[in-house]
Short mmCIF file of all heavy atoms in Angstrom, two decimals:
data_model
loop_
_atom_site.label_atom_id
_atom_site.label_comp_id
_atom_site.label_asym_id
_atom_site.label_seq_id
_atom_site.Cartn_x
_atom_site.Cartn_y
_atom_site.Cartn_z
N ASN A 2 -1.35 -5.82 3.50
CA ASN A 2 0.06 -6.31 3.25
C ASN A 2 0.32 -6.09 1.78
O ASN A 2 -0.40 -6.64 0.90
CB ASN A 2 0.20 -7.78 3.60
CG ASN A 2 0.82 -7.98 4.93
OD1 ASN A 2 0.70 -7.21 5.86
ND2 ASN A 2 1.55 -9.10 5.08
N THR A 3 1.30 -5.28 1.43
CA THR A 3 1.60 -5.03 0.04
C THR A 3 3.10 -5.03 -0.25
O THR A 3 3.87 -4.65 0.62
CB THR A 3 0.99 -3.64 -0.36
OG1 THR A 3 1.42 -3.28 -1.69
CG2 THR A 3 1.51 -2.49 0.58
N ASN A 4 3.42 -5.44 -1.44
CA ASN A 4 4.80 -5.44 -1.84
C ASN A 4 5.28 -4.11 -2.43
O ASN A 4 6.48 -3.99 -2.85
CB ASN A 4 5.09 -6.61 -2.88
CG ASN A 4 4.27 -6.51 -4.09
OD1 ASN A 4 4.04 -5.48 -4.68
ND2 ASN A 4 3.79 -7.64 -4.60
N LEU A 5 4.40 -3.17 -2.48
CA LEU A 5 4.68 -1.79 -2.93
C LEU A 5 5.07 -1.65 -4.29
O LEU A 5 5.59 -0.58 -4.74
CB LEU A 5 5.78 -1.19 -2.02
CG LEU A 5 5.36 -0.69 -0.59
CD1 LEU A 5 6.56 -0.06 0.10
CD2 LEU A 5 4.28 0.33 -0.71
N THR A 6 4.81 -2.59 -5.19
CA THR A 6 5.18 -2.51 -6.57
C THR A 6 4.00 -1.95 -7.41
O THR A 6 4.19 -1.50 -8.53
CB THR A 6 5.57 -3.82 -7.15
OG1 THR A 6 4.47 -4.74 -7.05
CG2 THR A 6 6.86 -4.41 -6.51
N ASN A 7 2.79 -1.89 -6.81
CA ASN A 7 1.61 -1.45 -7.57
C ASN A 7 0.65 -0.78 -6.62
O ASN A 7 0.11 -1.33 -5.72
CB ASN A 7 0.93 -2.73 -8.14
CG ASN A 7 -0.39 -2.33 -8.77
OD1 ASN A 7 -0.44 -1.69 -9.83
ND2 ASN A 7 -1.52 -2.80 -8.20
N ILE A 8 0.51 0.59 -6.77
CA ILE A 8 -0.34 1.38 -5.94
C ILE A 8 -1.33 2.16 -6.81
O ILE A 8 -1.06 3.29 -7.23
CB ILE A 8 0.46 2.35 -5.07
CG1 ILE A 8 1.48 1.65 -4.26
CG2 ILE A 8 -0.46 3.13 -4.14
CD1 ILE A 8 1.01 0.60 -3.26
N PRO A 9 -2.54 1.63 -7.14
CA PRO A 9 -3.48 2.25 -8.01
C PRO A 9 -4.04 3.53 -7.30
O PRO A 9 -4.42 3.51 -6.12
CB PRO A 9 -4.57 1.21 -8.22
CG PRO A 9 -4.03 -0.08 -7.75
CD PRO A 9 -2.99 0.26 -6.70
N GLN A 10 -4.18 4.61 -8.07
CA GLN A 10 -4.76 5.84 -7.51
C GLN A 10 -6.15 5.62 -7.06
O GLN A 10 -6.62 6.27 -6.08
CB GLN A 10 -4.62 6.98 -8.55
CG GLN A 10 -5.02 8.36 -7.99
CD GLN A 10 -4.22 8.73 -6.84
OE1 GLN A 10 -2.93 8.67 -6.80
NE2 GLN A 10 -4.85 9.24 -5.76
N LYS A 11 -6.94 4.77 -7.80
CA LYS A 11 -8.32 4.50 -7.40
C LYS A 11 -8.39 4.00 -5.98
O LYS A 11 -9.30 4.41 -5.26
CB LYS A 11 -8.92 3.50 -8.39
CG LYS A 11 -10.38 3.14 -8.07
CD LYS A 11 -10.94 2.16 -9.14
CE LYS A 11 -12.37 1.79 -8.76
NZ LYS A 11 -12.94 0.83 -9.75
N MET A 12 -7.50 3.14 -5.60
CA MET A 12 -7.50 2.54 -4.27
C MET A 12 -7.27 3.61 -3.28
O MET A 12 -7.81 3.70 -2.22
CB MET A 12 -6.50 1.44 -4.24
CG MET A 12 -6.38 0.69 -2.93
SD MET A 12 -5.14 -0.60 -2.91
CE MET A 12 -3.62 0.42 -3.05
N VAL A 13 -6.20 4.44 -3.59
CA VAL A 13 -5.77 5.55 -2.65
C VAL A 13 -6.94 6.50 -2.46
O VAL A 13 -7.20 6.97 -1.36
CB VAL A 13 -4.57 6.29 -3.20
CG1 VAL A 13 -4.20 7.49 -2.30
CG2 VAL A 13 -3.38 5.27 -3.28
N ASP A 14 -7.75 6.76 -3.50
CA ASP A 14 -8.88 7.62 -3.38
C ASP A 14 -9.96 7.12 -2.45
O ASP A 14 -10.62 7.85 -1.79
CB ASP A 14 -9.46 7.94 -4.80
CG ASP A 14 -8.56 8.73 -5.68
OD1 ASP A 14 -7.66 9.41 -5.11
OD2 ASP A 14 -8.69 8.73 -6.89
N TYR A 15 -10.14 5.79 -2.48
CA TYR A 15 -11.08 5.20 -1.56
C TYR A 15 -10.70 5.36 -0.06
O TYR A 15 -11.56 5.47 0.88
CB TYR A 15 -11.26 3.68 -1.84
CG TYR A 15 -12.37 3.30 -2.81
CD1 TYR A 15 -12.07 3.00 -4.10
CD2 TYR A 15 -13.68 3.22 -2.40
CE1 TYR A 15 -13.07 2.67 -5.02
CE2 TYR A 15 -14.66 2.89 -3.26
CZ TYR A 15 -14.39 2.63 -4.59
OH TYR A 15 -15.38 2.27 -5.41
N TRP A 16 -9.42 5.33 0.19
CA TRP A 16 -8.92 5.38 1.58
C TRP A 16 -9.47 6.51 2.40
O TRP A 16 -9.63 6.42 3.58
CB TRP A 16 -7.40 5.35 1.64
CG TRP A 16 -6.84 4.07 1.13
CD1 TRP A 16 -7.51 2.86 0.84
CD2 TRP A 16 -5.43 3.82 0.79
NE1 TRP A 16 -6.58 1.95 0.39
CE2 TRP A 16 -5.35 2.44 0.34
CE3 TRP A 16 -4.31 4.60 0.86
CZ2 TRP A 16 -4.11 1.91 -0.05
CZ3 TRP A 16 -3.04 4.02 0.48
CH2 TRP A 16 -3.00 2.73 0.05
N LYS A 17 -9.74 7.69 1.77
CA LYS A 17 -10.07 8.84 2.52
C LYS A 17 -11.43 8.67 3.19
O LYS A 17 -11.81 9.44 4.14
CB LYS A 17 -10.14 10.08 1.62
CG LYS A 17 -11.19 10.01 0.51
CD LYS A 17 -11.03 11.15 -0.42
CE LYS A 17 -11.99 11.01 -1.63
NZ LYS A 17 -11.78 12.06 -2.63
N HIS A 18 -12.22 7.65 2.78
CA HIS A 18 -13.56 7.49 3.34
C HIS A 18 -13.52 6.63 4.66
O HIS A 18 -14.50 6.53 5.41
CB HIS A 18 -14.44 6.73 2.35
CG HIS A 18 -14.74 7.51 1.11
ND1 HIS A 18 -15.64 8.55 1.09
CD2 HIS A 18 -14.23 7.40 -0.13
CE1 HIS A 18 -15.68 9.02 -0.16
NE2 HIS A 18 -14.81 8.42 -0.89
N PHE A 19 -12.31 6.06 4.96
CA PHE A 19 -12.23 5.15 6.06
C PHE A 19 -11.53 5.77 7.29
O PHE A 19 -10.95 6.83 7.17
CB PHE A 19 -11.52 3.89 5.63
CG PHE A 19 -12.38 3.01 4.74
CD1 PHE A 19 -12.50 3.25 3.38
CD2 PHE A 19 -13.13 1.94 5.26
CE1 PHE A 19 -13.31 2.48 2.56
CE2 PHE A 19 -13.94 1.16 4.46
CZ PHE A 19 -13.97 1.43 3.11
N LYS A 20 -11.68 5.12 8.42
CA LYS A 20 -11.09 5.69 9.65
C LYS A 20 -9.62 5.84 9.56
O LYS A 20 -9.07 6.80 10.15
CB LYS A 20 -11.44 4.62 10.79
CG LYS A 20 -10.97 5.05 12.17
CD LYS A 20 -11.42 4.07 13.21
CE LYS A 20 -10.97 4.48 14.60
NZ LYS A 20 -11.37 3.54 15.63
N GLY A 21 -8.97 4.94 8.86
CA GLY A 21 -7.52 5.06 8.68
C GLY A 21 -7.06 3.89 7.91
O GLY A 21 -7.77 2.89 7.68
N VAL A 22 -5.79 3.92 7.46
CA VAL A 22 -5.17 2.89 6.62
C VAL A 22 -3.84 2.60 7.19
O VAL A 22 -3.02 3.50 7.38
CB VAL A 22 -5.05 3.34 5.10
CG1 VAL A 22 -4.45 2.25 4.33
CG2 VAL A 22 -6.42 3.64 4.59
N GLN A 23 -3.59 1.31 7.42
CA GLN A 23 -2.21 0.87 7.78
C GLN A 23 -1.68 0.03 6.66
O GLN A 23 -2.30 -0.93 6.20
CB GLN A 23 -2.24 0.05 9.09
CG GLN A 23 -0.89 -0.51 9.46
CD GLN A 23 -0.91 -1.23 10.80
OE1 GLN A 23 -1.62 -0.86 11.74
NE2 GLN A 23 -0.12 -2.34 10.92
N LEU A 24 -0.50 0.37 6.22
CA LEU A 24 0.16 -0.41 5.14
C LEU A 24 1.33 -1.20 5.80
O LEU A 24 2.27 -0.60 6.27
CB LEU A 24 0.69 0.50 4.09
CG LEU A 24 -0.35 1.29 3.28
CD1 LEU A 24 0.36 2.19 2.24
CD2 LEU A 24 -1.35 0.39 2.59
N ASN A 25 1.19 -2.48 5.76
CA ASN A 25 2.29 -3.36 6.21
C ASN A 25 3.09 -3.64 4.91
O ASN A 25 2.69 -4.45 4.04
CB ASN A 25 1.78 -4.64 6.76
CG ASN A 25 0.96 -4.44 8.04
OD1 ASN A 25 1.12 -3.38 8.65
ND2 ASN A 25 0.12 -5.38 8.37
N THR A 26 4.15 -2.94 4.78
CA THR A 26 4.99 -3.02 3.53
C THR A 26 5.96 -4.15 3.63
O THR A 26 6.79 -4.25 4.50
CB THR A 26 5.73 -1.72 3.28
OG1 THR A 26 6.56 -1.42 4.36
CG2 THR A 26 4.70 -0.56 3.16
N SER A 27 5.88 -5.08 2.66
CA SER A 27 6.68 -6.27 2.65
C SER A 27 7.99 -6.00 2.03
O SER A 27 8.22 -6.07 0.82
CB SER A 27 5.99 -7.44 1.88
OG SER A 27 4.77 -7.77 2.52
N ILE A 28 8.99 -5.67 2.84
CA ILE A 28 10.39 -5.33 2.39
C ILE A 28 11.31 -6.18 3.24
O ILE A 28 11.38 -5.97 4.50
CB ILE A 28 10.64 -3.86 2.50
CG1 ILE A 28 9.64 -2.98 1.68
CG2 ILE A 28 12.09 -3.53 2.12
CD1 ILE A 28 9.85 -1.50 1.82
N ASP A 29 12.04 -7.00 2.61
CA ASP A 29 12.97 -7.94 3.37
C ASP A 29 14.41 -7.49 3.17
O ASP A 29 15.28 -8.03 3.93
CB ASP A 29 12.76 -9.35 2.83
CG ASP A 29 11.31 -9.81 2.98
OD1 ASP A 29 10.62 -9.33 3.84
OD2 ASP A 29 10.92 -10.59 2.06
N ALA A 30 14.71 -6.70 2.19
CA ALA A 30 16.07 -6.36 1.88
C ALA A 30 16.03 -5.12 0.94
O ALA A 30 14.98 -4.69 0.50
CB ALA A 30 16.87 -7.50 1.27
N THR A 31 17.18 -4.57 0.64
CA THR A 31 17.27 -3.46 -0.28
C THR A 31 18.01 -3.92 -1.56
O THR A 31 18.71 -4.93 -1.56
CB THR A 31 18.06 -2.28 0.37
OG1 THR A 31 19.34 -2.68 0.69
CG2 THR A 31 17.32 -1.82 1.60
N GLY A 32 17.81 -3.07 -2.58
CA GLY A 32 18.55 -3.25 -3.82
C GLY A 32 18.45 -4.64 -4.47
O GLY A 32 17.32 -5.17 -4.57
N ALA A 33 19.57 -5.22 -4.89
CA ALA A 33 19.55 -6.47 -5.60
C ALA A 33 19.04 -7.67 -4.73
O ALA A 33 18.41 -8.58 -5.25
CB ALA A 33 20.97 -6.82 -6.11
N ARG A 34 19.28 -7.60 -3.39
CA ARG A 34 18.74 -8.67 -2.54
C ARG A 34 17.23 -8.62 -2.45
O ARG A 34 16.61 -9.71 -2.42
CB ARG A 34 19.37 -8.54 -1.19
CG ARG A 34 19.24 -9.82 -0.31
CD ARG A 34 19.87 -9.74 1.01
NE ARG A 34 21.28 -9.61 1.01
CZ ARG A 34 22.12 -10.53 1.47
NH1 ARG A 34 21.69 -11.62 1.96
NH2 ARG A 34 23.46 -10.29 1.41
N ASP A 35 16.67 -7.46 -2.52
CA ASP A 35 15.19 -7.37 -2.61
C ASP A 35 14.63 -8.09 -3.81
O ASP A 35 13.69 -8.85 -3.74
CB ASP A 35 14.78 -5.84 -2.61
CG ASP A 35 13.35 -5.63 -3.02
OD1 ASP A 35 12.38 -5.96 -2.31
OD2 ASP A 35 13.11 -5.20 -4.17
#
């Protein structure tokens, strides 16, 4: 579960070793309401 404001490349590089990655992106609204 991520708010998508911070995505370190180190973390992304680890992902290739695993079966798969699901990102539940916490987005409740767009623009100013977000």
Side-chain angles (χ1 to χ4, degrees):
N2 260 30
T3 174
N4 60 39
L5 281 183
T6 60
N7 175 68
I8 306 296
Q10 187 58 46
K11 179 179 180 179
M12 182 180 69
V13 175
D14 291 340
Y15 267 102
W16 291 349
K17 64 187 176 185
H18 297 284
F19 287 82
K20 182 178 180 179
V22 177
Q23 177 176 322
L24 296 180
N25 298 338
T26 58
S27 298
I28 301 176
D29 306 326
T31 60
R34 196 179 293 248
D35 164 73

